[in-house]
Amino acid sequence: MSNRIEFKLWLAHRLSGMALGLFVVVHLAGMIIAIQGGLSSAEILQRTSGNYALGVFYSLFTIAAATHSTIGLRTVAREVIGWSGISANFFLIIFFLFLCAMGISAVGGLVL
Amino acid sequence: MENNQKKITVSVWRGGEDGNFENFQVPFVEDQTILDLLTHVQRTIDNSLSYRFACRVGMCGSCAMRVNGKPRWTCRTLVSTVVQNDELKLEPLSNLPVVKDLVVDMEPFFEKWQEAKGRFEPSDSPVTEFVPIKPDDKQRQKADEAIECINCGCCYAACDVVESNPAYLGPAALNRAWSLINDAKDFANPERLKAVSGDGGCQNCHTNSQCVARCPLQLNPTRSIAGLKKAVSLATLKGEI
């Protein structure tokens, strides 16, 4: 792997971590506010349906989470069990796509 | 004054990568350094013992080794401060090839200095106006904090990232690069920023601060590496490197 890609992955890991910090705070605040009035899950889903801004927010949340966890796992795989190279990268790309697909489909269920 | 009654047992690594510990009984002397103790062993017990030293006053960084498992500069370490149950264990520095007994090959350590562009590089063309070096300048202060390294290798031997990833440049080389990045008279950037962010670059640091804990001069390579991470990140995001 070329020299600069390692650093860029590290940087992506840090930036996605920073983004997650913001997303988690907004998510928790939203959850707390939403249940203050005693709303049920069905009532919440009724309100989120068609809210595309919410869809964009949670889609970005999903991508940040998938990016952060995949790069973090890559480092753990290399440093703890010594697994690196093409096979590890291939597995982790599949893992990244899996997380994105699961997360985006969940966002679809929330918004569409 | 030498106490004729009291002796301590010193276990010293003998041999190369494969070897074993040899025990020596030596008199315990107040205010004796580890280096003094080794000199006593070599002069009076076994003159085949190999260890490295030069200045004996904490300036050259030659005499570092592991004392009871921790890297230390032996010329400034008193036996009385590290002896445990009248025993001492002396081993060569970790993470470097052993030449013989307590002597390690420092070549990989200094090769990484070169990889990190640890050399001062002046301007290619003659400088018409010299940059003033003001002691209170913030950038100069960052350089000054890092510049006192004597290259003893204690941080390199203590670093668990070097241990797990032999390609990692290590705290000393990165600390050196940080001092030069903050030197207004050096002209090796942005090439140096590229050099410190390769596969073995600053991003590998776990911020465990073992280097800080073991630096005999109380320098802070972890802070220097954090500075490098920030500088390289900004240069990368701006598209400069």
Side-chain angles (χ1 to χ4, degrees), chain A residues 1 4 6-7 10-11 79, chain B residues 197 199 203 206 232-233 236:
Chain A
M1 186 155 290
R4 300 289 301 148
E6 285 295 331
F7 189 86
W10 175 86
L11 186 55
E79 294 187 356
Chain B
S197 56
D199 283 356
Q203 74 277 4
H206 287 187
V232 178
S233 296
T236 302

Side-chain angles (χ1 to χ4, degrees), chain A residues 1-8 10-11 14-15 75 78-79, chain B residues 193-194 197-199 202-204 206 229 232-233 236-237 241:
Chain A
M1 186 155 290
S2 80
N3 291 344
R4 300 289 301 148
I5 284 179
E6 285 295 331
F7 189 86
K8 285 170 184 168
W10 175 86
L11 186 55
R14 289 301 186 272
L15 292 174
T75 304
R78 188 183 69 233
E79 294 187 356
Chain B
L193 291 176
K194 286 183 189 171
S197 56
D199 283 356
C202 58
Q203 74 277 4
N204 289 284
H206 287 187
K229 287 175 178 173
V232 178
S233 296
T236 302
L237 292 172
I241 57 174

